């Protein structure tokens, strides 16, 4: 099922062309904001999954709240208030409200990248948000410049502006231990993305040539959630993505396709992650597409 994740070009109007895993009801968002994705510099490939640039221009007095089902990763984001570092969100659904006109320039880190980039001895407390001090004293000024470029419709330039800060921080904080951990985690998450429906933690550990306990320890030390949590979240992300593309999908068949043995279990996990049942989610997606 990897094709759901792949295929997006280095820069894309991602709400139209690329995968939207985690964005709740992306069709509804298409006329509220513009999302572009940009691949990272090769020197950041071990730490950064991709950069994302969002811009919006809403009518006076209008607001739009976008819900996101989080991935098990941290982010560093240039916002109008400064450059912030976000650990993995604590809430099942993360909501952001937009108003007026503006932009943000974000960097989605790879699993374990938050701890590695910030030079921490733990994965970070879920929900923690604070100034991205690791980027140095010029970060806020550089972030403001990047946002201005984003608002001028130049996402590539916005990312090029923040990249030197990230490269310098990575050079300061990267260690042999973090490099090894990130490489193992990259292999593990690639295996999750390729996993056949119903894959267990034990099966995942066997595929990676390790034990379930070692895999659980690695995730606890660097990601902050368990391998079982990641497998379950992947299934929900995939189900929401597929429903967003085709709201008419048979829900029992969808549950089986993403790895659930019964529809009730699928529905429970979906409600806990997304906030609504799959049927209701499909109806809202259908209305947005219509």
């Amino acid at each position: 099922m990897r094709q759901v994740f792949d295929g997006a070009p280095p820069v894309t109007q991602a709400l139209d062309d690329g995968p939207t895993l985690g964005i709740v009801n992306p069709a509804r968002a298409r006329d509220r904001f513009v999302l572009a994705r940009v691949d990272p510099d090769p020197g950041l490939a071990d730490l950064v999954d991709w950069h994302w640039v969002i811009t919006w221009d809403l009518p006076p007095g209008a607001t739009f709240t976008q819900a996101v089902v989080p991935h098990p990763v941290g982010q560093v984001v240039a916002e109008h208030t400064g450059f912030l570092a976000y650990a993995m969100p604590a809430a099942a659904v993360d909501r952001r409200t937009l108003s007026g006109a503006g932009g943000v320039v974000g960097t989605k880190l790879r699993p374990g990248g938050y701890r590695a980039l910030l030079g921490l001895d733990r994965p970070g407390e879920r929900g923690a948000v604070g100034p991205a001090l690791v980027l140095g004293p010029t970060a806020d000024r550089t972030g403001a410049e990047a946002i201005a470029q984003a608002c001028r419709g130049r996402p590539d330039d916005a990312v090029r502006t923040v990249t030197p800060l990230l490269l310098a921080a990575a050079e300061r904080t990267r260690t042999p231990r973090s490099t090894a951990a990130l490489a193992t985690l990259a292999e593990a998450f690639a295996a999750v993305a390729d996993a056949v429906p119903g894959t267990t933690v034990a099966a995942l550990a066997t595929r990676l040539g390790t034990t379930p306990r070692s895999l659980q320890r690695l995730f606890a030390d660097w990601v902050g959630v368990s391998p079982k949590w990641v497998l379950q979240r992947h299934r929900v992300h995939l189900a929401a993505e597929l429903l967003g593309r085709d709201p008419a999908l048979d829900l029992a068949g969808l549950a089986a396709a993403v790895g659930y043995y019964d529809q009730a279990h699928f529905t429970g996990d979906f409600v806990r992650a997304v906030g609504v049942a799959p049927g209701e989610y499909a109806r809202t997606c259908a209305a947005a597409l219509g």
Side-chain angles (χ1 to χ4, degrees):
M1 289 182 278
R2 174 168 289 278
Q3 69 270 16
V4 174
F5 295 85
D6 293 340
V11 178
T12 177
Q13 300 309 309
L15 290 168
D16 292 323
D17 303 324
T20 57
L21 291 177
I23 299 176
V24 175
N25 199 352
R28 181 170 173 263
R30 287 190 178 104
D31 61 351
R32 271 75 169 190
F33 62 85
V34 175
L35 166 64
R37 291 200 186 104
V38 182
D39 284 346
D41 182 278
L44 294 169
D46 61 330
L47 288 163
V48 175
D49 199 352
W50 62 65
H51 305 277
W52 48 271
V53 180
I54 288 178
T55 55
W56 64 93
D57 188 359
L58 299 177
T63 63
F64 174 69
T65 299
Q66 177 62 53
V68 176
V69 180
H71 293 255
V73 299
Q75 316 257 353
V76 288
V77 185
E79 305 184 29
H80 74 279
T81 55
F83 227 125
L84 300 176
Y86 289 84
M88 178 187 169
V93 179
D94 188 31
R95 290 181 171 84
R96 301 296 177 91
T97 298
L98 306 178
S99 62
V104 292
V105 180
T107 297
K108 180 186 177 219
L109 300 170
R110 292 191 181 277
Y114 180 87
R115 172 178 171 176
L117 181 65
L118 272 62
L120 305 176
D121 59 4
R122 60 192 184 284
E125 182 180 353
R126 288 185 60 178
V129 182
L133 300 178
V134 70
L135 299 182
T138 66
D140 287 352
R141 183 170 67 249
T142 301
E145 180 183 348
I147 291 171
Q149 291 167 331
C151 292
R152 291 195 290 269
R154 294 157 49 187
D156 285 315
D157 290 340
V159 169
R160 274 192 288 268
T161 295
V162 302
T163 292
L165 292 178
L166 294 163
L167 285 168
E171 183 67 22
R172 292 191 298 269
T173 60
R174 191 182 277 122
T175 66
R177 184 184 180 202
S178 69
T179 297
L182 290 173
T184 303
L185 285 167
E187 185 180 2
F189 273 74
V192 169
D194 282 333
V196 298
T199 295
T200 63
V201 174
L204 185 64
T206 298
R207 175 172 175 176
L208 295 168
T210 187
T211 65
R213 175 167 291 189
S214 294
L215 192 62
Q216 289 162 352
R217 186 181 306 116
L218 176 71
F219 276 57
D221 289 346
W222 289 88
V223 184
V225 291
S226 69
K228 181 179 179 180
W229 189 99
V230 171
L231 282 165
Q232 182 270 331
R233 179 53 53 95
H234 170 65
R235 291 170 186 145
V236 171
H237 273 151
L238 185 55
E241 175 83 0
L242 295 173
L243 276 178
R245 294 183 181 191
D246 184 0
L249 285 173
D250 173 71
L251 296 181
L254 175 63
V258 298
Y260 287 91
Y261 293 108
D262 65 85
Q263 190 174 346
H265 188 191
F266 164 61
T267 298
D269 282 353
F270 196 96
V271 169
R272 281 187 289 274
V274 181
V276 297
E280 182 179 349
Y281 184 77
R283 288 189 290 273
T284 61
C285 289
L289 288 170

